[in-house]
Amino acid sequence: GAGVSQSPRYKVAKRGQDVALRCDPISGHVSLFWYQQALGQGPEFLTYFQNEAQLDKSGLPSDRFFAERPEGSVSTLKIQRTQQEDSAVYLCASSFRDPQNEQFFGPGTRLTVL
Amino acid sequence: AQTVTQSQPEMSVQEAETVTLSCTYDTSESDYYLFWYKQPPSRQMILVIRQEAYKQQNATENRFSVNFQKAAKSFSLKISDSQLGDAAMYFCAIGGGNQFYFGTGTSLTVIP
């Protein structure tokens, strides 16, 4: 596709439910990032993939958060046993090669945990 | 560890005038990059300008330019001839290694 896409765009979950958020990066982009953006804040780094390898997951806030990119393209961010503090917009971004290249962002998934 | 500080939560500028958005950062990385991203209301984040820390020359992109002061760890964005379409949240960011850190953003209003 022409840009980074994310689905769903909006997700409402009851506390305790598991959710899966999908990111389709730009075709051929090696680097993929996940960020969490709380209301009125800047994006916070969660994790980074280079192809299928998760090279950095230091930003994942707890072991309830898990990300994968098994074939080096589509990525899924999974949150288990969601809690209210998980409510945020989850942004995915990809870049062509090196992580320091321009990142192209998706529209985000707005997660609301009730 | 890396941190980014944007001390101006909100700024406004008259159309066609010039505005400067401030950003300071801290990093232990010797090789890093600095960025300004723009996030219009309900729209996707897009790159405004990028600066390699090892370059002394300030980056410019049309009406957008930076004042990079490495010793002071300062990276401000100057927008010249402001246009209504420049209204957005502006985020300063630093990338080093595999991690990126964003500031809390500055909301820019352009007054017609």
Side-chain angles (χ1 to χ4, degrees):
Chain A
V4 179
S5 60
Q6 292 185 245
S7 61
R9 292 292 311 277
Y10 302 91
K11 176 70 178 176
V12 178
K14 291 183 179 179
R15 190 173 54 182
Q17 282 185 331
D18 298 348
V19 298
L21 313 180
R22 177 188 169 106
C23 172
D24 284 80
I26 294 173
S27 178
H29 277 197
V30 168
S31 296
L32 186 144
F33 303 82
W34 282 99
Y35 296 91
Q36 180 189 61
Q37 187 175 22
L39 188 64
Q41 299 296 315
E44 289 196 9
F45 170 83
L46 293 178
T47 187
Y48 164 68
F49 288 87
Q50 187 177 87
N51 295 307
E52 69 278 3
Q54 189 175 23
L55 298 188
D56 195 315
K57 55 180 181 179
S58 61
L60 296 176
S62 77
D63 58 7
R64 297 185 295 104
F65 287 70
F66 172 76
E68 60 183 5
R69 194 186 184 196
E71 297 179 358
S73 55
V74 171
S75 178
T76 303
L77 177 67
K78 298 179 180 178
I79 309 173
Q80 297 177 324
R81 304 181 304 280
T82 53
Q83 300 179 4
Q84 284 189 324
E85 60 261 32
D86 299 335
S87 296
V89 175
Y90 290 86
L91 297 171
C92 175
S94 69
S95 66
F96 175 56
R97 197 171 49 197
D98 297 331
Q100 308 305 336
N101 288 348
E102 174 181 0
Q103 293 185 37
F104 294 84
F105 282 79
T109 294
R110 182 177 297 278
L111 173 65
T112 302
V113 182
L114 303 177
Chain B
Q2 301 178 83
T3 59
V4 178
T5 301
Q6 293 180 252
S7 58
Q8 305 157 315
E10 297 178 345
M11 291 283 285
S12 61
V13 61
Q14 207 78 28
E15 194 175 3
E17 297 296 309
T18 295
V19 64
T20 298
L21 307 184
S22 300
C23 173
T24 58
Y25 65 92
D26 196 12
T27 181
S28 55
E29 299 281 341
S30 57
D31 182 21
Y32 58 93
Y33 292 72
L34 296 161
F35 307 82
W36 278 97
Y37 278 89
K38 169 185 177 181
Q39 189 174 41
S42 303
R43 295 186 62 186
Q44 291 165 229
M45 189 103 68
I46 57 174
L47 179 68
V48 174
I49 200 164
R50 172 177 174 267
Q51 171 84 41
E52 295 95 332
Y54 62 86
K55 287 188 176 178
Q56 292 186 338
Q57 186 173 6
N58 289 326
T60 62
E61 284 288 342
N62 301 314
R63 298 183 295 107
F64 299 88
S65 61
V66 298
N67 182 5
F68 175 43
Q69 301 290 327
K70 191 171 184 178
K73 295 184 178 177
S74 170
F75 182 63
S76 60
L77 174 69
K78 185 171 83 171
I79 306 174
S80 304
D81 185 25
S82 297
Q83 300 176 359
L84 295 178
D86 294 335
M89 281 291 287
Y90 285 81
F91 292 99
C92 178
I94 184 171
N98 297 326
Q99 299 177 0
F100 275 78
Y101 293 89
F102 286 77
T104 51
T106 296
S107 178
L108 179 65
T109 300
V110 181
I111 303 165

